[in-house]
Amino acid sequence: MYTLPKIERFNQDVLSKYHIYNSVFITLPFDSIDNTGVLLPLFTEVCETGFKKQETPGEIVEFFAKKYLHTDSESDKIDLMFRFIQYIERQIVLFDAIEDAAFPAVNNMEGRGSLRDIKEKADDKNSKEELIEFLENFNVRTVLTAHPTQFYPGAVLGIINDLTAAIRENNLLGIKQLLAQLGKTPFIQNEKPNPYDEAVSLVWYLENVFYETAGEMVHYLEKNLFSGNSIKNPLIKLGFWPGGDRDGNPFVTTEITLKVADRLRTSILKCYYVEMRRLKRKLTFSGVDILVSELEQKLYRSVFYSKGEIFITLDEFISQLKRIRTIIVEQHQSLYVDQLDALLIKVNLFGFHFATLDIRQNSKVHDAVFRDVVNFYLQSGSKVFPTNYFELTESEKIDVLSNVSGNLNPEDFENEMTNSTLGSIQAIKTIQKNNGEFGSNRYIISNNESALNVMETFALFKLSDWDLPTVDIIPLFESVDDLQNAHEIMEKLYTNPAYAKHLETRNKKQTIMLGFSDGTKDGGYLMANWSIYKAKESLTEISRKYGIKVIFFDGRGGPPARGGGKTHKFYASLGPNIENNEIQVTVQGQTISSNFGTLDSCRHNLENLLSAGVTNQVFAKGRNELTQDEKKILDQLAELGYEKYLSFKNHPKFIPYLEQMSTLKYYAKTNIGSRPSKRSKSENLDFADLRAIPFVGSWSQLKQNVPGFFGVGTALKYFEDNNQWDKVQNLYDGSLFFKTLLENSMMSLAKSFFPLTAYMSKDPEFGEFWLIIYNEFLETKRLLLKIAGHKELMENYPDGKASIDIRERIVLPLLTIQQYGLTRINELMKQKNPDEKLIRVYEKIVTRSLFGNTNASRNSA
């Protein structure tokens, strides 16, 4: 049977269904939003027409109020805006559910990038043995982070899940009931969640999505590629940050960390228990039934009656499962052995830890903690540190740190930060004892600027009575300067005897994290991405020189500005000069629910990541290497983009614009995450302290998406103006890395809408600044269309573009309301006696509008 093109499948299974079910939603009788369903489509039309006529958000709202409300009353307008916000939030949920339900129909689950595709390519190319060898040594690690970009409370996520299932089954009565439930369910959390709450909400994805998906993927490979033999290598690894990420989050305590680790262990044991219950109904044979029943009872007691006590060890569990398997094979004709193998695979993947709880802290905090620790030793008369330690050079300090040991007690320190930092090291020991080493064996140093930062962290472990720590110490390089110096920093560590000995105990593997988000904030889109690429090359070279296998851990957010977009294409594009034995990537907020929220989307995206590694290392080995001439062009492009971005970032109106004209300060008012929106407690906005999420998110709310394109147009124009266009054109046509980089920038442009803020061009203070952004947008759009040979943005991803277009149309009234609210706040603030009560009402409107705008974008922050 002929398969429809992807865009037609999208129109049929997403667009048509949305129009049908939205019309049902409009007719539902909600007390709180009566008439809203009738008025909202009219307001959407007024917004579209108004922006085409270059009207301001204020003019659009005023025109609508007079024509359809027949009133000038501000309170009536405010009431209607709140009702619109409530309604649009729920329309977005409906669209999310429809898209999730249609995922396997719109996307070819067995097509390019799938496990089946990998197997068939290996058969065609006679590279099956090479593929098997690769898979025995390769890993994909998805790390779920606590970064607050998901605005749906748990109850709403539950409705989305049920609504998706009902839509997939075309259950009209169920859909109508769920839409009615949706209309009556609050979208707002009255209080900020604590880190444990965040952990519990993300554990749902582990239990309900990743557990099944990862197990099925490995099972497929074992049956179809490994001839039924088990893969000893845990191909899929899961990481976890809620409860362990302390960087800028004072609410992550040692108690919370231990509590989250316990929850992870209980959750995986519960998954095993449920599976053992299923197996018990099948494995009813003599000699097997008693063994199965014993395992089920021990798991049950460990989950429901333990209070932290485990009634079975991991080794015992595996041993018993293997014993059961042997009996089934030898005495019962291998009946149900496939189901038992499926459980064994999951136990091999997840152990008793489920996901590795990473600990992360900022190097600047470590500096302060270490000063406290050194002073503690000096005051006690200990000889661990020389009295002149603080006057020593960096290399002299590293020599001292290489030989320290001790047995610090966190309770000996009054300083809360010192106490909790040392407590986190003790917590890792406890977690490893209870959950196994993989329960927590990674310590990440954010804002890492030197070898000393790493050695201070290493010394904290040695001073905590841990001579050979079973922990990977992971520096995170974020700024452009740090990325450029990263290889020199790592060489100092590789040549340090004490650290080299530590790496010996870690199988000569060094994980290094690279931050796309802060890199973009610091240096702009082109410079950040190219700096990370070059850093990976130089880090690979220096690591190979010293016999170290380097593993790169990419700190990526949702949108292209933070390393998101077509992520798997980036991994497929890496050349032979970049080590790629593992793909490690952070997944957060909306990206968790949109890319990994259902069994289908999780499978599709995990298989694509795995396929990217296979493509780069097996099928296209050596093909994606950039030539020296191509690297020179990229150097030049990055430098040109960097200069343009720096001049923009250093503009005197840059910070005032974000503070006064964007939603930046409103991120702190949303109860979506436990972590503060900036690192310092200062009232003044310091760019260095500003977190990437509110920074990128604020540009997204303005529909300007600056971090995803600014400087790209200027860089390309230089080559056009100097009759060298063929150089960048050939680079685009021949380099998957560069092509993916520009395609992702096109996504940022496609999600921009400058008519929304065109009124700012006439602002006496910010008009000139707005024009700088708009002109760069126009130039970038013109030249990206030219290099791609397209007439419109994302022309080669019609279904993706269609999804963006629908979502942008749904939130257009919300964006208009938000801008109207911001304008009114600025007007009221300039009055001689500002109406504080009215200002607070409009601030609430702006804050509430953040929710729907962010959820609709799915990767805006």
Side-chain angles (χ1 to χ4, degrees), residues 27 96 142 207 213 243 285 297 429 657 667 669 677 691 734:
T27 62
D96 281 348
T142 50
E207 291 177 346
T213 305
F285 334 130
Q297 283 299 315
K429 278 187 179 181
Y657 182 80
Y667 273 85
K669 300 176 188 289
S677 60
R691 290 199 172 280

Side-chain angles (χ1 to χ4, degrees), residues 202-212 214 236-240 261 263-272 346-347 349-357 435 438-439:
L202 289 191
V203 165
W204 185 91
Y205 292 98
L206 298 182
E207 291 177 346
N208 294 282
V209 184
F210 284 94
Y211 178 77
E212 290 296 334
I236 310 293
K237 295 179 180 179
L238 302 177
F240 206 75
R263 178 59 183 253
L264 286 166
R265 184 185 66 247
T266 302
S267 294
I268 190 60
L269 289 174
K270 185 171 72 175
C271 290
Y272 295 154
K346 290 164 187 163
V347 176
L349 289 176
F350 307 124
F352 277 10
H353 64 282
F354 213 159
T356 300
L357 184 59
N435 296 17
F438 295 116

